[in-house]
Amino acid sequence: KQSYFSAGNNGYGQLAINNSSIFPNVFTPPVVPYTGVEQPDNWAKWAMRSSSIAAIKSDGTLWVAGESSYGQLGFGNTTHLNKMTKVNVETFVGSGVYKTDWVSVGVGTEHISALDAAGNIWSAGRNDIAAAIGNGTATGNVMTFYNTALTGAPYRLSPLTFKQLVVGHRFVYGLDTDGEIWSWGNNGSRQLGRVEPVLLTNATQDLYHRKVSKAGPWLKAFGGGYHGGGLHSDGELSPGGLYSNG
């Protein structure tokens, strides 16, 4: 079992301790709603940024807490949560059971993306100035991970099959099973490997997300707040993005 403890700014409930006291001064384990045999200490993976947090339990379920000003927690509203809450699969496919095949999750400043075992990336949150959802638009907020309002389909990035997810400030990288890196979102700091500071929105269905300039196979993708890149099979490390701090 893996336990998690947190401390610090908690204005949006992002510490998941069942309250929103701003600066608790002790490390505290997260609180989850107890149903049946749920236990709070079987976490497998965590991701956090800004005022939101997401985690995957050892049973493959996805949990979130904190800020949801842009619907990034994926429940169809802007209600902030101060305890870890399981994301219902109805948000995605409407079958009435919880999805249990999550393998990776990343938190951007205003969006959350998650990778499932089938190689699909799903996203929710701010999309107007970010295009981080990858649904072919740069408008509005996508407040559920499954939303038919814009495209009539889930925002999973098929037909690509991804094996790694990297989430930055307002962008996403996906490394596919062929070793190619794909990117979408805000390129204002050239973190997506393009010279033009544009939004990559997944506007064309046949192309989906544009590849970075060098062909694969890439071994790993990486990203931070305003930069990203990849490690190539020839040993080359290829970064891009904000360089003001060297």
Side-chain angles (χ1 to χ4, degrees):
K1 294 180 178 180
Q2 298 188 56
S3 300
Y4 168 79
F5 292 78
S6 60
N9 193 324
N10 193 41
Y12 290 98
Q14 62 264 42
L15 299 187
I17 57 176
N18 204 26
N19 64 62
S20 298
S21 56
I22 302 300
F23 292 105
N25 58 6
V26 295
F27 283 97
T28 307
V31 173
V32 301
Y34 282 90
T35 56
V37 295
E38 294 283 4
Q39 297 296 322
D41 57 353
N42 59 345
W43 305 105
K45 296 181 180 180
W46 285 85
M48 61 196 75
R49 188 188 302 270
S50 187
S51 301
S52 302
I53 186 169
I56 298 172
K57 280 194 171 186
S58 58
D59 63 0
T61 54
L62 177 63
W63 298 69
V64 294
E67 182 181 6
S68 194
S69 297
Y70 302 96
Q72 60 262 51
L73 300 187
F75 291 103
N77 56 54
T78 56
T79 301
H80 312 314
L81 299 176
N82 60 21
K83 58 186 175 182
M84 296 301 292
T85 304
K86 185 161 36 175
V87 177
N88 195 320
V89 75
E90 288 184 355
T91 309
F92 304 90
V93 294
S95 62
V97 297
Y98 288 101
K99 188 172 172 67
T100 60
D101 65 342
W102 299 109
V103 296
S104 180
V105 63
V107 178
T109 305
E110 300 138 346
H111 77 283
I112 293 176
S113 297
L115 173 68
D116 67 22
N120 301 306
I121 293 176
W122 308 73
S123 301
R126 189 170 189 176
N127 200 49
D128 54 353
I129 63 173
I133 305 304
N135 66 344
T137 74
T139 58
N141 304 321
V142 177
M143 295 191 289
T144 61
F145 288 91
Y146 179 87
N147 189 317
T148 61
L150 296 178
T151 64
Y155 295 140
R156 56 182 182 182
L157 307 177
S158 56
L160 300 173
T161 302
F162 294 101
K163 62 181 181 179
Q164 186 194 358
L165 165 71
V166 175
V167 177
H169 169 53
R170 288 173 175 162
F171 68 93
V172 179
Y173 275 14
L175 177 65
D176 72 18
T177 52
D178 293 327
E180 299 289 354
I181 295 177
W182 303 73
S183 57
W184 56 97
N186 192 311
N187 191 45
S189 298
R190 281 69 170 178
Q191 62 267 48
L192 304 185
R194 312 296 196 286
V195 296
E196 67 277 13
V198 297
L199 299 179
L200 301 185
T201 66
N202 182 31
T204 54
Q205 188 175 5
D206 58 334
L207 294 179
Y208 278 79
H209 305 294
R210 297 165 57 188
K211 298 178 184 179
V212 294
S213 56
K214 186 173 183 177
W218 296 87
L219 302 179
K220 187 176 289 292
F222 61 85
Y226 295 88
H227 68 287
L231 175 63
H232 197 268
S233 57
D234 64 8
E236 179 182 342
L237 190 66
S238 179
L242 187 63
Y243 197 65
S244 61
N245 295 318

